[in-house]
Amino acid sequence: MKQTANGPVQTPENFVAEFENNLLVLELREAELTMKKLKFLGLHFDPFAQEHTIECQEIMENLGLSEHLKNPYMATNLLLRLLDKTEERINNLKQ
């Protein structure tokens, strides 16, 4: 009998929802740091490259993005969605 991995496979939609929930507990400085990390990925991460810089790998692991950015066709969309959610949280914290 084939064994399956423990727990369900996380879809990009579930990941974005979980990411948004995690943003709700962040203070302004933490949210701004998350934004800086996402912006760094947006500028330096090439979803079609075979290997990524150490900095990009560390950020991806820190944010739990490694598995979700393996699909180059979904990576940019996912990053943009996370940037949007983070910017929204920062704006709410500044009000």
Side-chain angles (χ1 to χ4, degrees):
M1 186 178 274
K2 187 176 181 181
Q3 290 184 347
T4 58
N6 293 339
V9 175
Q10 191 177 37
T11 65
E13 290 75 23
N14 291 344
F15 179 79
V16 171
E18 183 180 314
F19 184 87
E20 188 172 14
N21 286 336
N22 291 336
L23 284 174
L24 295 176
V25 299
L26 296 182
E27 303 277 334
L28 179 60
R29 286 185 56 155
E30 294 168 311
E32 289 176 335
L33 179 60
T34 300
M35 178 64 95
K36 285 181 182 180
K37 290 176 181 180
L38 291 170
K39 284 183 177 181
F40 183 89
L41 283 179
L43 291 172
H44 301 283
F45 175 75
D46 178 2
F48 290 96
Q50 292 296 325
E51 293 190 22
H52 306 291
T53 65
I54 293 170
E55 294 87 357
C56 285
Q57 289 176 352
E58 288 176 358
I59 292 171
M60 288 165 35
E61 289 172 15
N62 180 263
L63 297 176
L65 287 169
S66 297
E67 283 299 311
H68 298 286
L69 296 183
K70 285 184 178 179
N71 179 343
Y73 300 101
M74 294 293 296
T76 303
N77 179 274
L78 182 61
L79 275 175
L80 289 173
R81 291 169 63 191
L82 298 180
L83 280 163
D84 184 52
K85 299 290 184 189
T86 306
E87 181 179 28
E88 186 178 307
R89 175 64 178 154
I90 290 170
N91 290 338
N92 287 337
L93 287 169
K94 286 183 177 180
Q95 290 181 355

